[in-house]
């Protein structure tokens, strides 16, 4: 299949991109890596009359640390750049754990963090990572700039907080504080496929490996990724070598309201959540009690 005819524009700055969107409110669409949009255009599920390519907007391709030690990623930073960046590897290891499961090498070279977040597939790893790490999104629009917390950005299946004419410009990840152990697990039919279910866990531990706080995100299960920290409440104050992962897996599975689709039923997804959570905990270094 081929896409319907469209006009191609490649603005050099974000203001120029916003102006193109303002001038063509009904048919202009931003394109980033094109890894989701182009297939949709080829299938004529999307028929934009104008593509506004963000590849020429240099400020959207920066990956840097700000004065507060936060990781600031331009929306056009490709998935693989995060996997190769030493600062990301040492300061935000949860990103690498999850993002290496995004699709395949070629798609990770072209696809971007911003494109993934704006596409808002419920099975996307980036939305889960941003939720786990309390990331903040910067949006640029005709009314100026605004910030949105990760939890408010993705609203549902292919639905975000972006208003017409707005562009996601940057994603900020808070500076790493304290000792954290991270774990990730997802289940997909084949490597590189979108997950049928997945879990990301973060355990904040003291010098004796006693858990001080915990974060848990499940994704590909409901209409969007969701924090399930309450399922970890029994861990607080316990050593990570003495945790019943089975109980936590069951508690997480009981807390979700999974969707059924052609890939898996709601019942199957409940089982998968249990399995993903227990494996993610193991990845974070938790040895089940008695083992
Ligand atoms: P595009 O395709 O260019 O754009 C996607 C959408 O976002 C469009 O609607 C576009 O208008 C909008 N958009 C893009 N950037 C912005 C912005 N800055 N501001 C406002 N709107 C914007 N993803 C996963 O997470 N996990 C997977 O396992 C996975 N598997 C895949 C397997 C295959 C075979 C393929 C083809 C894709 C897969 N993907 C997967 C999707 C991939 O990660 C894409 O890179 C990503 O979803 C979209 O990123 P992109 O940069 O290509 O965005």
């Amino acid at each position: 299949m081929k896409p319907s005819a469209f006009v191609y524009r490649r603005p050099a700055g974000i203001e120029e991109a916003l102006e193109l969107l303002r001038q063509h409110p009904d048919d202009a669409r931003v394109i980033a890596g094109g890894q989701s949009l182009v297939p949709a255009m080829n299938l004529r599920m999307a028929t934009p009359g104008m593509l506004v390519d963000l590849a020429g907007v240099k400020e959207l391709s920066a990956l840097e640390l700000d004065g507060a030690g936060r990781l600031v990623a331009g929306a056009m930073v490709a998935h693989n750049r995060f996997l190769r960046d030493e600062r990301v590897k040492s300061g935000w290891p949860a990103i690498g754990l999850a993002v290496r499961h995004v699709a395949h090498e070629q798609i990770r070279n072209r696809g971007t963090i911003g494109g993934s977040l704006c596409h808002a597939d419920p099975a996307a790893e980036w939305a889960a990572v941003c939720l786990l790490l309390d990331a903040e999104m910067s949006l640029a629009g005709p009314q100026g700039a605004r910030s949105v917390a990760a939890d408010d950005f993705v609203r549902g299946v292919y639905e975000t907080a972006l208003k017409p004419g707005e562009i996601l410009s940057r994603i900020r990840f808070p500076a790493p504080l304290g000792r954290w152990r991270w774990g990730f697990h997802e289940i997909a039919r084949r490597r590189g496929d979108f997950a049928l279910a997945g879990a990301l866990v973060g355990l904040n531990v003291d010098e004796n490996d006693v858990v001080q706080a915990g974060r848990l995100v499940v994704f590909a299960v409901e209409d969007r990724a969701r924090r399930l920290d309450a399922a970890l409440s029994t861990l607080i104050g316990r050593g990570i070598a003495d945790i019943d992962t089975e109980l936590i897996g069951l508690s997480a599975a009981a807390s979700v309201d999974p969707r059924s689709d052609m890939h898996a039923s709601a019942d199957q997804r409940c089982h998968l959540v249990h399995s993903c959570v227990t494996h993610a905990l193991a990845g974070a270094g938790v040895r089940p009690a008695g083992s």
Side-chain angles (χ1 to χ4, degrees), residues 29-39 54 60 75-76 79 101-104 107-108 110-121 123-126 153 162 166-169 186 192-195:
R29 184 108 172 235
V30 157
I31 184 165
Q35 299 303 298
S36 295
L37 182 55
V38 171
L54 298 180
L60 298 183
M76 287 296 287
H79 309 312
H101 292 271
V102 174
H104 308 280
I107 292 167
R108 287 195 298 271
R110 299 284 310 174
T112 64
I113 179 174
S116 175
L117 291 167
C118 295
H119 186 58
D121 190 299
E125 287 82 359
W126 267 121
F153 184 74
L162 282 168
E166 281 188 325
I167 290 174
L168 172 62
S169 55
E186 72 172 37
D193 280 4
F194 278 105

Side-chain angles (χ1 to χ4, degrees), residues 19-263:
E19 181 58 20
L20 285 166
L21 295 180
R22 194 190 64 75
Q23 286 171 3
H24 303 273
D26 297 326
D27 66 345
R29 184 108 172 235
V30 157
I31 184 165
Q35 299 303 298
S36 295
L37 182 55
V38 171
M41 289 171 63
N42 287 344
L43 293 168
R44 307 271 172 125
M45 289 160 67
T47 53
M50 174 183 282
L51 282 186
V52 179
D53 189 350
L54 298 180
V57 182
K58 285 213 171 51
E59 62 197 277
L60 298 183
S61 294
L63 181 60
E64 52 202 11
L65 302 185
D66 69 9
R70 292 177 296 192
L71 178 70
V72 185
M76 287 296 287
V77 178
H79 309 312
N80 263 344
R81 263 183 73 196
F82 291 90
L83 299 183
R84 293 177 185 138
D85 191 290
E86 293 304 326
R87 299 163 302 178
V88 175
K89 283 185 200 169
S90 61
W92 293 267
I95 291 179
L97 284 180
V99 172
R100 66 194 168 91
H101 292 271
V102 174
H104 308 280
E105 184 71 7
Q106 293 86 343
I107 292 167
R108 287 195 298 271
N109 279 335
R110 299 284 310 174
T112 64
I113 179 174
S116 175
L117 291 167
C118 295
H119 186 58
D121 190 299
E125 287 82 359
W126 267 121
V129 172
C130 289
L131 207 51
L132 184 84
L133 299 180
D134 289 330
E136 184 187 277
M137 321 302 177
S138 298
L139 315 184
Q143 262 79 52
R146 65 187 180 107
S147 291
V148 177
D151 197 20
D152 296 323
F153 184 74
V154 176
R155 297 270 167 89
V157 183
Y158 308 134
E159 225 189 291
T160 70
L162 282 168
K163 292 184 182 151
E166 281 188 325
I167 290 174
L168 172 62
S169 55
R170 282 182 195 80
I171 301 93
R172 285 191 174 76
F173 296 92
L177 285 178
R179 288 158 49 98
W180 284 86
R181 289 169 167 271
W182 306 101
F184 175 89
H185 193 77
E186 72 172 37
I187 294 170
R189 290 202 189 278
R190 299 171 303 186
R191 179 139 184 92
D193 280 4
F194 278 105
L196 300 173
L200 257 167
V201 66
L203 299 178
N204 180 232
V205 293
D206 68 10
E207 56 285 356
N208 299 315
D209 269 346
V210 172
V211 179
Q212 307 298 305
R215 300 177 189 176
L216 173 64
V217 172
V218 295
F219 66 100
V221 175
E222 301 181 343
D223 284 355
R224 59 186 190 130
R226 185 149 73 91
R227 281 275 282 263
L228 287 181
D229 295 1
L232 301 180
S233 58
T234 54
L235 269 69
I236 313 298
R238 312 217 9 219
I240 63 160
D242 184 32
I243 287 170
D244 191 342
T245 53
E246 181 66 16
L247 220 57
I248 295 165
L250 289 172
S251 163
S255 313
V256 293
D257 183 14
R259 63 203 168 91
S260 287
D261 57 25
M262 61 189 286
H263 304 294

